[in-house]
Amino acid sequence: QRGLRIGQSAHGLGLFATQGEQLSKEERRVFTPDRPVFNKGQRISEYVGEHLTKEQIEYRYDNYTAPYAIQCGPNEYVDSALVRCYASLANTADKKRCNTRFVISGDRVYLEATRKIFPGQEILVDYGPEFILNEYNVKFSTKKVGKRQDDDA
């Protein structure tokens, strides 16, 4: 996907702003490492996956964490476990280090830049307090999105 690459992170694989290797010949002529790849408020990538109900998520994961499921409605989730996408590779971090957030628009979820992101920077997002790593005897948990774009209107 344009402007993104998958690479090694402190947490295994992660998502990074591209350093120009995916740019066209014309774009490479004007590429500079001090120019942001993504600006604040810019959509970076759609979080693509299966649209499931809470019951389907609970059936699939039982008492374990749903590591790639994002709640996008009262009873609706997008689960990227079987249908992977670039946005699902964004690692979590504390809010001070995050440079993106999940934004819901209708039944779609996007990663949106919360500040300028420069070439080589890892794309980091706060999974929220609902997310607990998949450990023995963990109760049902998922990434919970705190802001709906629809609420801005």
Side-chain angles (χ1 to χ4, degrees):
Q1 186 170 343
R2 192 163 213 68
L4 297 171
R5 70 175 175 82
I6 299 167
Q8 280 303 124
S9 168
H11 308 287
L13 289 179
L15 190 61
F16 295 83
T18 187
Q19 294 184 354
E21 59 270 12
Q22 295 176 332
L23 299 177
S24 69
K25 222 181 223 186
E26 181 62 28
E27 290 169 319
R28 258 181 273 167
R29 285 189 321 102
V30 296
F31 172 77
T32 57
D34 59 335
R35 195 173 88 197
V37 177
F38 301 105
N39 290 304
K40 182 178 180 177
Q42 184 176 353
R43 284 187 179 166
I44 294 173
S45 182
E46 182 176 358
Y47 197 93
V48 179
E50 295 175 277
H51 286 259
L52 303 172
T53 65
K54 182 173 183 174
E55 291 75 29
Q56 290 171 312
I57 289 286
E58 289 173 338
Y59 179 79
R60 178 177 282 179
Y61 294 103
D62 194 25
N63 286 330
Y64 294 95
T65 303
Y68 296 101
I70 295 181
Q71 186 175 1
C72 60
N75 190 39
E76 188 176 359
Y77 295 80
V78 177
D79 188 5
S80 186
L82 301 178
V83 181
R84 297 305 298 272
C85 64
Y86 275 88
S88 71
L89 290 167
N91 286 313
T92 191
D94 60 80
K95 289 185 182 193
K96 291 179 184 177
R97 293 182 45 224
C98 290
N99 51 17
T100 64
R101 65 181 177 169
F102 291 117
V103 174
I104 301 171
S105 181
D107 65 346
R108 298 171 86 171
V109 179
Y110 298 91
L111 266 180
E112 178 181 278
T114 56
R115 60 177 174 237
K116 291 180 180 180
I117 303 173
F118 293 90
Q121 286 186 315
E122 185 170 4
I123 307 298
L124 298 170
V125 64
D126 180 11
Y127 290 174
E130 296 287 320
F131 185 79
I132 303 167
L133 293 177
N134 190 5
E135 299 175 33
Y136 177 76
N137 222 10
V138 170
K139 296 290 182 203
F140 171 75
S141 180
T142 188
K143 299 174 191 174
K144 187 168 184 172
V145 179
K147 181 172 183 353
R148 291 187 65 88
Q149 186 174 19
D150 303 346
D151 294 342
D152 290 342

